[in-house]
């Protein structure tokens, strides 16, 4: 049973940082592509960052490049999203998702939410002064 649990969200002021965690169980995530997504009220779910299982390449949405960093700790079976210089526009529920055999997705394919079969429950991030 593939399960993902996000944590680390909260309320922060603009310019501050958060680190989100995605704990995986039921599988070894180093064989899987992992993506972070977010959805704000009234908005479509959008890709934030992802890390490929095929070659370890990382990808970021233009809106977060230079501010967010995705990483994985295979020993802990956990993926992280370090979010720096947070802005009010980053406010959303953040989800992690995973799938395997994603080599055919191509570059930046892991930023498309409809491709993933397995999702966590989400964690709220609110950036407000």
């Amino acid at each position: 049973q593939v399960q993902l649990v996000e944590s680390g969200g909260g309320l922060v002021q603009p310019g501050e940082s958060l680190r989100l965690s995605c704990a995986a169980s039921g599988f070894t995530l180093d064989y899987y592509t992992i993506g972070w997504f977010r959805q704000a009220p009234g908005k479509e779910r959008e890709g934030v960052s992802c890390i490929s299982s095929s070659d370890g390449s990382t990808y970021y949405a233009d809106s977060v490049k230079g501010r967010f960093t995705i990483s994985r700790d295979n020993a802990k079976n956990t993926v992280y999203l370090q979010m720096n210089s947070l802005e009010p526009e980053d406010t959303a529920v953040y989800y992690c998702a995973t799938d395997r055999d994603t080599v055919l997705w191509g570059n930046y394919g892991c930023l498309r939410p409809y491709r993933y079969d397995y999702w966590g429950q989400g964690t709220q991030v609110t950036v407000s002064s």
Side-chain angles (χ1 to χ4, degrees):
Q1 181 71 38
V2 174
Q3 291 186 329
L4 300 170
V5 179
E6 302 96 333
S7 63
L11 174 64
V12 297
Q13 297 184 16
E16 295 183 341
S17 299
L18 283 173
R19 189 179 73 162
L20 305 182
S21 298
C22 176
S25 62
F27 68 103
T28 302
L29 63 77
D30 58 326
Y31 300 113
Y32 285 69
T33 291
I34 304 292
W36 282 100
F37 301 84
R38 66 187 182 187
Q39 188 165 22
K43 300 291 186 67
E44 295 182 348
R45 189 169 298 186
E46 64 175 342
V48 176
S49 182
C50 53
I51 182 166
S52 173
S53 65
S54 60
D55 61 3
S57 297
T58 58
Y59 302 91
Y60 298 90
D62 288 341
S63 60
V64 307
K65 284 182 179 178
R67 299 189 297 122
F68 291 10
T69 303
I70 190 171
S71 63
R72 71 167 77 207
D73 187 333
N74 290 336
K76 296 182 178 180
N77 219 35
T78 300
V79 174
Y80 304 96
L81 184 68
Q82 179 67 44
M83 306 187 296
N84 297 328
S85 301
L86 284 163
E87 304 168 353
E89 292 75 17
D90 297 316
T91 296
V93 177
Y94 283 71
Y95 301 87
C96 63
T98 190
D99 216 326
R100 68 174 183 175
D101 298 323
T102 61
V103 64
L104 298 179
W105 289 7
N107 290 342
Y108 294 94
C110 57
L111 288 177
R112 296 181 178 273
Y114 62 82
R115 295 183 183 269
Y116 289 84
D117 289 333
Y118 306 104
W119 293 83
Q121 85 291 341
T123 185
Q124 177 70 47
V125 173
T126 303
V127 185
S128 177
S129 60

